[in-house]
Amino acid sequence: GESVGLHLPTLSVQEGDNSIINCAYSNSASDYFIWYKQESGKGPQFIIDIRSNMDKRQGQRVTVLLNKTVKHLSLQIAATQPGDSAVYFCAERFSGSARQLTFGSGTQLTVLP
Amino acid sequence: DAGVTQSPTHLIKTRGQHVTLRCSPISGHKSVSWYQQVLGQGPQFIFQYYEKEERGRGNFPDRFSARQFPNYSSELNVNALLLGDSALYLCASSFAGQETQYFGPGTRLLVL
């Protein structure tokens, strides 16, 4: 089975609210994590990544938090907009596995007007 | 700058046929990876190539093969197609020494 999983398959938020998408991983040897956004009919779009030697990283309107103690990853989106509606995937890379990413099954984020 | 490009965008084949999918990485990127994404699931790793050599292979049968050319573009070949090979095939490229992979739009393959 997959080692990366998501707590919720769907998430609905009001426009302007903050969104939090969670992800659990099981491989303590993973050293790199990445979030992608995938809109219908398109390829995954890079959002933000983080190495295992960090616990927080911020981008434009997005923040990724990594808790290695409980093997948990989260993506926070500030002031969610309609254009943020998509499926969000987290992925991990096992240490030493070159660029092989293992993806979870995704969370569908729907932004309500 | 152009992102990762893939061709064709859509493809319909019948069982037993073979297919070749193509990928051009972002200019300057030397690493290309292929993923299969079945509807409703996350992408699953198939191959990674760097400097024309296979550097990683996922849990896929030998019917799947790939290669990378001197210009760093890549082809994914699938022989003896099965209905279960119907999926979105994604190509991702990355810059040498960096982990971030950038995906193309994918090729949607339907096997009838």
Side-chain angles (χ1 to χ4, degrees):
Chain A
E2 295 181 347
S3 66
V4 177
L6 294 168
H7 292 170
L8 295 172
T10 61
L11 177 65
S12 296
V13 299
Q14 291 294 138
E15 181 178 355
D17 287 351
N18 297 333
S19 303
I20 299 177
I21 301 173
N22 296 302
C23 177
Y25 66 95
S26 60
N27 194 323
S28 59
S30 292
D31 62 358
Y32 174 76
F33 304 87
I34 188 167
W35 282 97
Y36 286 97
K37 169 188 179 183
Q38 188 172 28
E39 297 174 283
S40 182
K42 298 184 178 180
Q45 176 187 352
F46 168 75
I47 302 174
I48 192 167
D49 56 2
I50 188 169
R51 290 189 176 89
S52 59
N53 61 353
M54 305 171 66
D55 53 19
K56 180 179 181 180
R57 193 169 187 211
Q58 289 183 295
Q60 186 177 12
R61 282 202 307 121
V62 294
T63 301
V64 55
L65 299 178
L66 175 63
N67 186 330
K68 293 181 289 293
T69 302
V70 295
K71 297 188 184 71
H72 184 266
L73 193 69
S74 69
L75 175 69
Q76 300 178 1
I77 305 173
T80 312
Q81 303 169 0
D84 295 328
S85 293
V87 177
Y88 288 79
F89 292 98
C90 67
E92 65 180 312
R93 185 195 68 182
F94 305 152
S95 177
S97 65
R99 289 180 172 75
Q100 176 177 341
L101 295 175
T102 299
F103 283 79
S105 55
T107 292
Q108 173 69 58
L109 174 66
T110 301
V111 181
L112 305 173
Chain B
D1 284 342
V4 176
T5 59
Q6 293 186 243
S7 64
T9 56
H10 295 81
L11 202 53
I12 300 175
K13 292 285 189 178
T14 56
R15 283 176 295 175
Q17 287 188 311
H18 70 273
V19 67
T20 298
L21 310 180
R22 296 177 176 84
C23 169
S24 292
I26 293 171
S27 178
H29 287 193
K30 298 182 178 181
S31 177
V32 170
S33 297
W34 287 95
Y35 292 80
Q36 179 196 64
Q37 186 177 24
V38 175
L39 192 63
Q41 298 182 15
Q44 187 173 359
F45 174 77
I46 309 175
F47 287 111
Q48 189 233 335
Y49 276 79
Y50 178 70
E51 291 284 10
K52 296 169 288 185
E53 290 188 5
E54 182 182 305
R55 298 301 180 99
R57 185 185 181 110
N59 187 25
F60 279 81
D62 292 343
R63 299 184 296 107
F64 288 76
S65 63
R67 56 179 175 168
Q68 186 177 33
F69 299 99
N71 66 353
Y72 305 109
S73 66
S74 178
E75 284 183 354
L76 174 70
N77 296 284
V78 186
N79 294 323
L81 286 166
L82 303 174
L83 296 180
D85 295 331
S86 296
L88 180 68
Y89 288 85
L90 295 161
C91 173
S93 74
S94 56
F95 194 71
Q98 295 183 2
E99 294 102 336
T100 307
Q101 296 184 39
Y102 297 91
F103 283 84
T107 293
R108 185 161 297 282
L109 172 65
L110 178 62
V111 182
L112 301 176

